[in-house]
Amino acid sequence: KFEKMDRVIDGAKMVFGTLFFIVLNFFKNLLPNGVLPRKSVEGKKVLITGSGSGIGRLMAIEFAKLGADIIIWDVNKDGAEETKKQVEKVGGKANTFVVDLSQYKDIHRVAKETKDAVGDVDILINNAGIVTGKKLFDCPDELMEKTMAVNTNALFYTAKNFLPAMLAKDSGHLVTVASMAGKTGCVGLVDYCASKHGAIGCHDSIAMEILAQKKYGVNTTLICPFFINTGMFHGVTTKCPALFPILEAEYAVECIMEAILTNRPLLCMPKASYSILALIGLLPIEAQVLMADFFGTNESMNDFQGRQKKD
């Protein structure tokens, strides 16, 4: 009898708790940037993978402006050094490490170097990503393998190296820059979509493991943007720019910074993406194709060129 009553009480707590968090995050997602109070990151160590260019570099600069110490991880040494210069230009401090995220042994090696050099990391931002932009039958096997290694597998090993210290202190923040491609499919992005689905599954499962350990001081934020104009997706198009524009990098970083600094668990960009997120689990694949045709995502990769190499 008492066990049944306990189950009823637990069920009621679950229902009301679920409704509370749905409403809370609904309003968080609707509010414009700058309304919610932001946490301080002064003196915090922020590691950003793929920060030798693109939004990773822009995030490094923004965190440096707020007094954080920046740890730059990138496969491109020149790009990493350029980011360091820009961080120092705004009065920040940065350390650079060259790492190949497609090789788990290299991640472990550089993680040890990083911890030996700067100590524990307070905020880990898994931002690095690659895209082939080729349809399945045109994509070389080695490129698909590398896409999965960098976009998905690397998250396992960065978390293994830097999360334990956060959990021990019950303080820290894990951020995963995924994609709306991790919530749905897209023509011309089979390997990329697969890798971002994996990234989201990895992030969500780690977040649940953190909460299951009652480590409420360790926050997690999942970032799911539409295409961002950084060069990585050079050439992509949108048929519905009013609802799904190609996002400017500066705006995307502004939103990402807001989400991290206000401890939001999920950020989708643009806001219209939340409606897709709510529908996607209910829509059969035929309906998803119809919507993709209407909004133009099935043709968005037709003129894809990718990041242009400098001479």
Side-chain angles (χ1 to χ4, degrees):
K1 185 176 180 180
F2 290 111
E3 288 183 3
K4 288 183 178 179
M5 182 59 70
D6 288 341
R7 289 294 291 169
V8 170
I9 293 172
D10 288 343
K13 288 180 179 178
M14 181 272 294
V15 170
F16 286 112
T18 298
L19 291 173
F20 170 77
F21 286 114
I22 288 174
V23 173
L24 175 65
N25 285 287
F26 175 78
F27 282 107
K28 277 188 174 184
N29 293 335
L30 283 182
L31 289 173
N33 294 341
V35 173
L36 294 172
R38 294 182 165 195
K39 66 183 179 183
S40 172
V41 292
E42 187 172 359
K44 299 294 185 182
K45 298 183 180 70
V46 181
L47 190 159
I48 309 172
T49 68
S51 45
S53 62
I55 64 171
R57 173 179 289 171
L58 293 176
M59 279 191 283
I61 294 168
E62 291 305 310
F63 272 108
K65 290 177 182 177
L66 298 175
D69 295 335
I70 310 302
I71 303 164
I72 300 164
W73 269 30
D74 204 280
V75 71
N76 185 315
K77 182 178 180 181
D78 291 339
E81 290 298 331
E82 177 58 30
T83 299
K84 181 179 181 179
K85 288 179 184 177
Q86 296 198 28
V87 164
E88 292 172 343
K89 191 179 294 185
V90 298
K93 185 172 69 173
N95 288 273
T96 63
F97 299 88
V98 177
V99 58
D100 183 352
L101 291 171
S102 69
Q103 303 296 322
Y104 75 91
K105 289 183 179 179
D106 205 42
I107 295 174
H108 290 315
R109 177 185 63 80
V110 178
K112 184 179 186 305
E113 287 182 9
T114 301
K115 288 183 283 188
D116 289 344
V118 303
D120 294 334
V121 168
D122 298 295
I123 301 176
L124 169 61
I125 303 178
N126 284 309
N127 162 75
I130 59 174
V131 58
T132 62
K134 297 179 182 294
K135 294 180 180 178
L136 178 63
F137 304 123
D138 299 324
C139 191
D141 294 348
E142 59 271 18
L143 288 185
M144 290 190 289
E145 291 285 332
K146 189 169 185 178
T147 297
M148 295 302 297
V150 173
N151 295 0
T152 306
N153 298 350
L155 308 188
F156 303 147
Y157 309 117
T158 56
K160 271 190 168 186
N161 279 285
F162 297 110
L163 266 183
M166 296 185 198
L167 294 171
K169 295 184 289 187
D170 195 16
S171 175
H173 204 139
L174 171 68
V175 181
T176 301
V177 180
S179 170
M180 284 304 295
K183 292 291 188 179
T184 183
C186 183
V187 172
L189 287 174
V190 172
D191 58 334
Y192 185 79
C193 286
S195 70
K196 290 302 184 178
H197 274 74
I200 291 174
C202 176
H203 176 95
D204 286 349
S205 296
I206 292 174
M208 293 188 77
E209 286 192 2
I210 291 170
L211 290 174
Q213 296 178 60
K214 313 298 183 188
K215 300 295 183 178
Y216 300 117
V218 180
N219 296 287
T220 62
T221 299
L222 175 65
I223 311 295
C224 292
F226 190 57
F227 297 120
I228 302 176
N229 183 21
T230 61
M232 182 175 171
F233 279 99
H234 181 68
V236 299
T237 58
T238 176
K239 195 184 286 185
C240 195
L243 287 176
F244 296 100
I246 306 299
L247 301 166
E248 290 303 319
E250 291 76 13
Y251 170 74
V253 169
E254 178 188 328
C255 293
I256 292 171
M257 294 296 296
E258 173 78 3
I260 296 170
L261 296 174
T262 58
N263 294 328
R264 281 172 59 180
L266 174 67
L267 168 67
C268 293
M269 298 180 284
K271 291 187 183 296
S273 300
Y274 290 107
S275 60
I276 300 298
L277 201 62
L279 287 172
I280 203 69
L282 303 173
L283 295 175
I285 189 65
E286 295 89 347
Q288 293 182 40
V289 171
L290 289 174
M291 291 183 68
D293 284 341
F294 178 78
F295 289 117
T297 53
N298 275 345
E299 296 84 37
S300 60
M301 295 294 292
N302 287 354
D303 298 316
F304 171 80
Q305 297 176 45
R307 195 178 299 280
Q308 303 299 292
K309 292 182 180 180
K310 295 180 181 179
D311 295 330

